[in-house]
Amino acid sequence: MTSHLDRLNPAQRQAVETLDGPLLVLAGAGTGKTRVLTTRFAHILLTGRAYPSQVLAVTFTNKAAREMRERVAAILGRPAEGLWLGTFHALCARMLRRHADLVGLTSGFTILDGDDQQRLLKQVMEADRIDTKRWAPPAMMAVIQRWKDRGLTPARVTPAEDTDFANGRARAIYTAYQDRLRALNAADFGDLMLHMTEILRGHPDVLAQYHRMFRYILVDEYQDTNLVQYLWLRLLAQGHRNICCVGDDDQSIYSWRGAEVENILRFEKDFEGAHIVRLEANYRSTAPILAAASALIAHNEGRLGKTLHPGRADAQQGEKVQVIGVWDSDEEARMVGDRIEALRRDGNALAEMAVLVRAGFQTRAFEERLITLGIPYRVVGGLRFYERAEIRDAIAYMRATVQPADDLAFERIVNVPRRGIGEVALRAMHDTARTDQIPLSLAAAKLVQTGGVKGKVKESLGTLLQGFLRWREMLERDGHVVTVATLLDESGYTEMWKQDKSPEAPGRLENLKELVRALADFETLGGFLDHVSLVMENEENAEGDRVSLMTLHGAKGLEFDTVFLPGWEEGLFPSQRTMDESGAKGLEEERRLAYVGLTRARRRAIVSHAANRRIYANWQSSIPSRFLEELPEEQVELAGSAALARDARVAALPSFGGQFPLVARRTRTVEAWEQPARPARSDAIPVGARVFHQKFGYGTVTAAEDEKLDISFDKAGAKRVLDRFVERA
């Protein structure tokens, strides 16, 4: 009967066997959280405390639900039938089918996807004569979903919760939108939880029914719950009070999507007499990594507190956390690439290595370096840099500027951003192009001149074509970096994403700025476009042994032998935008993000920072992240210029004591085409020498003039580059 308990440590066993009353399991990273949750589920069934249908088990992802179902079945030795196991939304959808009439729906209601929601909301706003160009439906939808995440029906939106969107008409739009959903017998994703919470609030008989039904409630990742999820759980737990929440307040990193870390912090107040079990034995990482992560997170004030320690005897020793200071972001990418190569030569699998970045735009430098070295990689949770829609759009603008005959590029962006150029106008362009055997852009120009298109279409198309003429002239006069930055602004493309209120928009803007920054590495726009083509051609199958590139947010729940954590500088990490928006609370979440990054590593964690980083097409002198100062010196090994950087960081301290201010301090900013002055090269590179270039690979010097070298590259052909950009092979 107790064989399923034999593999548990004392704290884990206590969490499984504490079956009466509310229980909070504070499960640190790598402490066996999933094992505890599934074993507790199985233990309840094996001891006869409840039937499978009397246990409500809630997860955040379908994957986690599937894994829990399989593990419980493995412990029981048979499939468990009749389980109430799934995600918050899946379980609420199941409940709502039973009680749909209580919110004005029928049991066969439709659940709308994102596109349908946007279309419906736009119809509602237009019917109310709201200018959807000024007040974008996606922005209004974000407001509505935020209200739903907080458990607010239109009637519950107070003046304090209201917004001035659409001149104070947001609440009225919300009301009309909900009425329209009911008329269509439909619910959106947010309604699933909102409707069920309202039913449980307003119908005691329904609530009593579920109290009788569910003897035990199990909740995974409780620190990621939003307010409506919290309310739903509290209502259901008022019956038997046997609620077990598993989570880690130190890994609460999703406030941007509505998660409230306060939910887990106030568990003891919400559930009087609650037991708290701390899982602190980590079975993933070595002692130095755990000590560094624990010391870092200890600087957060709003936490319940726990200290991780190795749970395995072989993890008591290990490599210290390496903190490497480099000259600039290009050198950082080279350092990471070289270390990955060295680890691979020593027999380490690429699949056990990961580069975890704070922002998506940072992946580009590492992608290009890995391509140059021929190291296979994958971008987890996102597209490769040059495959992202906004990057492909921007490159299409560049192609159409350089090559007016590029019909594919012109067609892609002729109505991006929207210029009112629909199917009819596009068909007319294609017909003219085929008849006259001319490129699509010339066909468009002809239609504008001859009156083949009229009104707003003629005006907007004419403006775009004039823009291309102007940008081509600018390309010759001002260079490709300035030209591309200008065309993205003048075309309205950058403004389109600035006006977009979706959660992805800020990241897309960052990617566009990183693209402009990348241009500075190339002498011409044509050279850059050739490079992009080669990079895209280098695409391999996603299977096999390869390095993982991802954001820190995407890495939660994963683990690797070796983790690289680049870009630990003020303003980048912690993110200045987060601190500007959320102040001290935002800083604490950034620190939790750093904690998550460190605890992904099993054997080695390599943190790096650059003295100069090219961000948004400009060079910026950077100072190391305040988080580096919070790592314990005895668990850290400094390399590169990190020791000097630490001294500089101390010198930058304000005259008063205490924490660093929430404002990142930056020094001189120079233009993208200026390279920060490096220490002078002590030896000139002679003709005939073999060299290596980050972008062009290996080559042989054929001529030298001062700092300029003519190099015949093995794959890229003849190029002229500055000697500071190459190193001897």
Side-chain angles (χ1 to χ4, degrees):
M1 178 68 79
T2 62
S3 59
H4 59 284
L5 304 176
D6 294 344
R7 293 197 304 156
L8 304 178
N9 65 35
Q12 290 173 334
R13 187 156 182 161
Q14 184 187 354
V16 169
E17 294 184 316
T18 305
L19 297 179
D20 296 318
L23 171 68
L24 176 63
V25 182
L26 279 177
T31 56
K33 162 181 76 70
T34 306
R35 175 181 289 183
V36 166
L37 203 57
T38 53
T39 307
R40 179 182 172 89
F41 196 155
H43 187 67
I44 290 168
L45 302 182
L46 287 170
T47 54
R49 289 288 192 115
Y51 295 114
S53 60
Q54 294 174 318
V55 181
L56 178 70
V58 193
T59 66
F60 268 88
T61 65
N62 290 315
K63 181 184 175 185
R66 197 163 49 249
E67 186 180 352
M68 188 183 294
R69 188 182 299 274
E70 290 168 356
R71 289 199 186 191
V72 169
I75 296 172
L76 296 175
R78 64 182 187 280
E81 304 295 338
L83 298 179
W84 278 80
L85 166 60
T87 64
F88 280 97
H89 291 92
L91 291 168
C92 280
R94 184 175 170 184
M95 289 179 175
L96 190 57
R97 297 284 181 197
R98 297 182 171 191
H99 311 288
D101 59 307
L102 298 177
V103 288
L105 302 173
T106 70
S107 61
F109 65 85
T110 304
I111 302 172
L112 300 187
D113 61 21
D115 287 343
D116 288 337
Q117 291 172 35
Q118 294 286 352
R119 281 213 312 274
L120 182 63
L121 182 60
K122 188 177 180 182
Q123 290 171 14
V124 169
M125 292 173 70
E126 287 174 344
D128 205 17
R129 298 187 177 180
I130 290 170
D131 185 355
T132 55
K133 290 184 178 177
R134 182 181 178 191
W135 306 105
M140 185 65 231
M141 183 57 72
V143 172
I144 290 173
Q145 292 306 328
R146 187 170 70 245
W147 282 336
K148 291 184 177 184
D149 286 346
R150 296 189 62 78
L152 300 173
T153 61
R156 292 183 184 273
V157 177
T158 63
E161 293 279 1
D162 209 345
T163 172
D164 60 358
F165 187 93
N167 297 323
R169 294 161 70 186
R171 184 176 163 187
I173 296 169
Y174 182 19
T175 304
Y177 174 70
Q178 292 300 101
D179 290 343
R180 188 80 181 107
L181 282 169
R182 284 192 186 89
L184 294 171
N185 193 35
D188 67 17
F189 208 56
D191 281 332
L192 300 175
M193 292 225 60
L194 181 66
H195 284 330
M196 266 320 301
T197 303
E198 283 300 300
I199 290 170
L200 297 177
R201 276 172 162 176
H203 296 83
D205 56 326
V206 177
L207 183 59
Q209 176 188 333
Y210 285 109
H211 285 168
R212 291 190 298 273
M213 183 182 296
F214 299 132
R215 294 193 173 196
Y216 290 91
I217 299 174
L218 306 176
V219 188
D220 193 14
E221 304 285 11
Y222 188 60
Q223 78 280 350
D224 293 335
T225 53
N226 60 30
L227 198 53
V228 74
Q229 291 163 343
Y230 163 81
L231 291 170
W232 180 75
L233 286 169
R234 280 215 54 194
L235 287 162
L236 291 173
Q238 288 171 359
H240 293 279
R241 297 184 77 246
N242 296 326
I243 182 171
C244 169
C245 294
V246 181
D248 184 5
D249 55 317
D250 292 335
Q251 295 188 73
S252 179
I253 58 175
Y254 297 120
S255 66
W256 49 275
R257 67 183 189 199
E260 300 265 1
V261 70
E262 290 79 9
N263 293 348
I264 193 169
L265 296 178
R266 63 176 177 235
F267 187 89
E268 285 184 281
K269 292 181 181 176
D270 289 338
F271 299 99
E272 192 176 343
H275 301 282
I276 295 192
V277 176
R278 287 174 168 80
L279 304 184
E280 298 175 308
N282 176 285
Y283 296 93
R284 177 187 300 157
S285 307
T286 59
I289 293 171
L290 294 177
S294 295
L296 174 68
I297 200 64
H299 286 79
N300 273 5
E301 294 179 2
R303 59 191 296 264
L304 296 168
K306 62 184 173 309
T307 303
L308 298 182
H309 59 83
R312 307 190 322 266
D314 62 346
Q316 297 298 329
Q317 304 296 322
E319 298 180 23
K320 292 183 177 180
V321 175
Q322 293 187 52
V323 176
I324 301 173
V326 295
W327 180 254
D328 57 29
S329 45
D330 294 339
E331 187 179 330
E332 183 177 53
R334 286 198 297 276
M335 179 274 294
V336 170
D338 293 346
R339 292 204 169 215
I340 289 172
E341 274 201 312
L343 287 165
R344 181 164 68 165
R345 282 196 300 271
D346 291 342
N348 294 279
L350 293 177
E352 291 299 337
M353 304 178 208
V355 182
L356 309 183
V357 297
R358 175 61 183 87
F361 74 85
Q362 291 175 262
T363 67
R364 189 199 63 82
F366 299 102
E367 286 185 58
E368 298 205 351
R369 182 61 181 170
L370 294 174
I371 286 169
T372 300
L373 296 173
I375 297 173
Y377 71 92
R378 62 187 180 124
V379 178
V380 180
L383 297 168
R384 294 171 177 241
F385 185 82
Y386 291 113
E387 292 172 351
R388 296 165 187 172
E390 66 277 10
I391 301 301
R392 295 180 81 106
D393 287 344
I395 288 171
Y397 269 105
M398 297 180 210
R399 285 166 49 193
T401 303
V402 172
Q403 179 50 265
D406 192 332
D407 286 358
L408 290 174
F410 183 79
E411 187 172 2
R412 181 181 180 98
I413 52 81
V414 70
N415 200 38
V416 180
R418 294 184 186 276
R419 300 185 175 94
I421 301 168
E423 288 295 323
V424 175
L426 201 56
R427 198 178 307 119
M429 289 183 225
H430 278 290
D431 291 344
T432 304
R434 278 196 300 271
T435 303
D436 296 355
Q437 294 187 336
I438 56 176
L440 207 58
S441 59
L442 292 182
K446 183 175 180 179
L447 289 172
V448 170
Q449 290 167 1
T450 61
V453 289
K454 302 185 185 298
K456 288 186 178 180
V457 175
K458 180 180 179 178
E459 184 183 337
S460 59
L461 195 54
T463 303
L464 177 64
L465 294 170
Q466 286 297 321
F468 277 118
L469 292 173
R470 189 168 61 256
W471 301 327
R472 285 172 196 131
E473 292 172 3
M474 187 181 286
L475 198 57
E476 298 294 326
R477 186 179 67 247
D478 300 328
H480 58 292
V481 178
V482 174
T483 301
V484 171
T486 304
L487 78 82
L488 289 174
D489 286 339
E490 290 185 353
S491 66
Y493 191 76
T494 305
E495 186 62 25
M496 178 184 81
W497 288 116
K498 285 181 180 176
Q499 295 302 320
D500 190 295
K501 302 303 180 185
S502 67
E504 298 82 21
R508 294 185 190 275
L509 285 168
E510 288 175 345
N511 291 337
L512 288 171
K513 291 168 181 174
E514 175 64 14
L515 180 68
V516 175
R517 167 258 174 280
L519 289 167
D521 292 338
F522 298 84
E523 294 181 12
T524 65
L525 186 54
F528 171 75
L529 292 172
D530 288 346
H531 168 73
V532 172
S533 299
L534 292 170
V535 169
M536 298 293 283
E537 194 65 30
N538 210 296
E539 171 68 29
E540 300 175 64
N541 296 327
E543 304 301 321
D545 193 31
R546 57 192 54 239
V547 177
S548 296
L549 303 183
M550 69 188 83
T551 63
L552 286 160
H553 284 101
K556 189 170 174 290
L558 303 177
E559 56 186 72
F560 305 89
D561 283 348
T562 303
V563 169
F564 295 92
L565 298 161
W568 282 41
E569 299 128 30
E570 286 293 300
L572 182 56
F573 192 40
S575 160
Q576 189 61 52
R577 190 172 72 215
T578 300
M579 292 190 293
D580 289 344
E581 292 174 356
S582 306
K585 189 176 178 182
L587 176 60
E588 292 210 342
E589 179 153 331
E590 290 288 293
R591 190 175 284 113
R592 291 195 292 270
L593 202 52
Y595 172 83
V596 166
L598 284 170
T599 54
R600 299 310 94 195
R602 296 195 197 99
R603 297 171 58 189
R604 60 186 70 85
I606 301 164
V607 181
S608 58
H609 61 91
N612 303 282
R613 184 170 295 277
R614 200 154 42 183
I615 299 179
Y616 307 161
N618 293 321
W619 280 102
Q620 292 178 344
S621 299
S622 306
I623 56 176
S625 169
R626 67 192 75 195
F627 298 153
L628 295 176
E629 288 301 307
E630 297 169 358
L631 298 175
E633 291 190 16
E634 62 274 13
Q635 305 298 346
V636 170
E637 179 183 313
L638 301 179
S641 57
L644 296 173
R646 183 178 286 256
D647 294 340
R649 186 77 172 97
V650 173
L653 277 167
S655 57
F656 54 86
Q659 287 288 336
F660 296 107
L662 293 179
V663 178
R665 297 168 298 282
R666 299 191 181 106
T667 57
R668 188 175 81 95
T669 299
V670 298
E671 297 300 323
W673 45 86
E674 296 183 72
Q675 171 78 359
R678 280 179 178 274
R681 186 187 283 281
S682 58
D683 60 324
I685 299 177
V687 174
R690 291 285 290 171
V691 293
F692 177 80
H693 188 279
Q694 185 184 1
K695 300 289 184 244
F696 305 131
Y698 292 97
T700 304
V701 179
T702 56
E705 179 185 347
D706 297 326
E707 295 180 332
K708 300 178 182 132
L709 301 176
D710 290 329
I711 302 172
S712 175
F713 289 101
D714 299 348
K715 293 182 179 178
K719 304 282 183 185
R720 172 168 282 196
V721 299
L722 296 175
D723 63 359
R724 74 184 70 157
F725 290 112
V726 299
E727 48 195 69
R728 291 200 185 214

